[in-house]
Each structure stands twice: as structure tokens, then as C-alpha cells.
Amino acid sequence: MTRARREGAGGEDDLDRALRAAQDGDEESFRVLYRDVQPRLIRFAGALVGADAEDVTSEAWLQIARDLPAFRGDIDGFRGWTATITRHRALDHLRRRSRRPAADAPAEELLTLAAPADTEELALDGIATEDALRLIAGLPRDQAEAVLLRVVVGLDAKSAGKVLGKRPGAVRTAAHRGLRRLSERLAGSAGAASGTVPAPQAGSLPAAGSDKSGGTGAEGVR
């Protein structure tokens, strides 16, 4: 359970109400949703497109604002839906960039963006946020996206699976492998600094399979 979850259901209920009000056209409620979701999306997009993350999320929010009245779901579903849109816009951006000469590799660019404090709760204790995100960006893509969606965006495996077009079990597996690889790299770095290489400790990783059920609202996003 993330720190945001531990703060209680009240905040989530407030966001559910803001979501419904925003769908009815309330601008202040839309700003509340933006403040909750945008930091997650900018980090997720940053792991895919690097320094172009702001451009990608701007495109995503145009679609989010346009399609919001037709969205069906709660705040968790909304986060999954917006992550799906952001991922699609990021992949479109990468396709366009691949046609340009001297295109940059996104994984090499990342990442000076701030991240929530609960990132450190998931196998990344004791290192700076940008270093943690850089390590995640160095994972195989399926593992990096799974870890980002589970840890940074805060989705459960079912919602993350909707974003990625994968089964929840495949997302859990990819996230677990990614977190284990990060733990091993961190242990190796600590060992190199001290002149020893400690073996990774069993049970040092978080359980990536703890989920909630429910719809994600991500269906039908193009």
C-alpha cells in the first residue's frame, strides 16, 4: 500500500467527487484532477520520451479534456485512463522522432523531475529521485513500464495491464523482475563503494501483486 493510500479514503473520495464535477464542466475540479495526475504522468512520459515529456503530456491533456465527459469510472480508473492516453501519445511521439535525423535515445536522457516520496518505499530507499528514475529507465522496456505504472503512477496490476495491453499477472511478473533487478543493482553499487558485493536479501522487495479490483475506465482509448 502506497503512502497516498495510507492517507485514507477521504482524499480518494474527494477526488471522486472532483472527477464527477469536472465531467459536469467545473473548472476548479478539473484543476484538482490535474494537480493529482499530472506529476505522475510527467514522470511516466519522461521515462519514455525524456526531455519531451511536457510536450507529450500537453497533447495527452488535450485529449483528456475533450473526452472527459464520456469517461466512466472512479479516480483510480481515471488515472489508468490518463496513463493509457499518455502512453499512446508518447509512442506516437517516438515514432515521429524516429523519422528525424539524429534522434535521441529517450532512456539516455532522463530524468531530473521530482517524484513522490513513496517511491523510496519500493526497493529504492536511500537514493535520490532522479537516480531512481534513471535506474528504472535502464531496465528492459516491459519491466520499466510496469515499475513506473505500479510505483510512480500508482496503478494496481489490473489497471496497469489495461494501459499496457497485458494480463495483470504479466504486469506483476514484469514489475517484480524489474524491482529485483533494481535491488541487485543497488546492492552491487553499495558493495562496490565498500569494496564488497553483498548478496541480495530474500524478502527485501515489495510485493508487486497486492491489488484492488474494479474497472479502470481505460477501455476504448485510442
Side-chain angles (χ1 to χ4, degrees), residues 18-220:
L19 174 58
R20 291 190 292 271
Q23 289 183 287
D24 291 335
D26 186 78
E27 294 184 4
E28 178 57 32
S29 295
F30 187 85
R31 285 192 285 270
V32 169
L33 296 178
Y34 181 88
R35 287 193 294 268
D36 174 74
V37 173
Q38 173 64 0
R40 308 166 191 257
L41 297 183
I42 199 76
R43 290 186 291 275
F44 180 47
L48 299 176
V49 302
D52 295 332
E54 294 250 3
D55 293 339
V56 166
T57 56
S58 293
E59 291 181 15
W61 277 104
L62 289 175
Q63 182 177 348
I64 292 164
R66 183 194 71 195
D67 296 346
L68 180 60
F71 170 77
R72 296 293 178 267
D74 60 9
I75 187 61
D76 282 327
F78 179 74
R79 290 174 183 140
W81 181 64
T82 58
T84 300
I85 293 172
T86 300
R87 182 172 184 265
H88 289 173
R89 299 291 76 77
L91 295 178
D92 289 344
H93 182 84
L94 290 175
R95 282 190 286 269
R96 290 193 300 268
R97 191 163 67 179
S98 70
R99 302 188 192 109
R100 304 178 201 160
D104 297 324
E108 299 302 320
E109 294 175 351
L110 202 73
L111 284 149
T112 59
L113 303 169
D118 61 358
T119 299
E120 68 183 6
E121 297 173 15
L122 291 146
L124 301 176
D125 286 336
I127 61 175
T129 292
E130 59 267 28
D131 293 334
L133 292 172
R134 193 178 299 279
L135 284 170
I136 293 171
L139 294 171
R141 181 164 179 169
D142 65 325
Q143 296 177 16
E145 287 193 318
V147 171
L148 285 162
L149 288 171
R150 299 297 309 280
V151 176
V152 177
V153 181
L155 302 183
D156 61 21
K158 183 176 180 179
S159 298
K162 290 288 186 181
V163 174
L164 299 173
K166 296 181 178 180
R167 294 179 180 275
V171 174
R172 292 188 197 99
T173 298
H176 175 75
R177 289 175 177 170
L179 289 168
R180 181 172 59 188
R181 184 173 296 202
L182 289 173
S183 180
E184 290 170 352
R185 289 181 179 177
L186 291 171
S189 298
S194 64
T196 62
V197 182
Q201 296 180 358
S204 62
L205 295 172
S210 177
D211 300 318
K212 303 188 297 120
S213 61
T216 68
E219 296 84 350

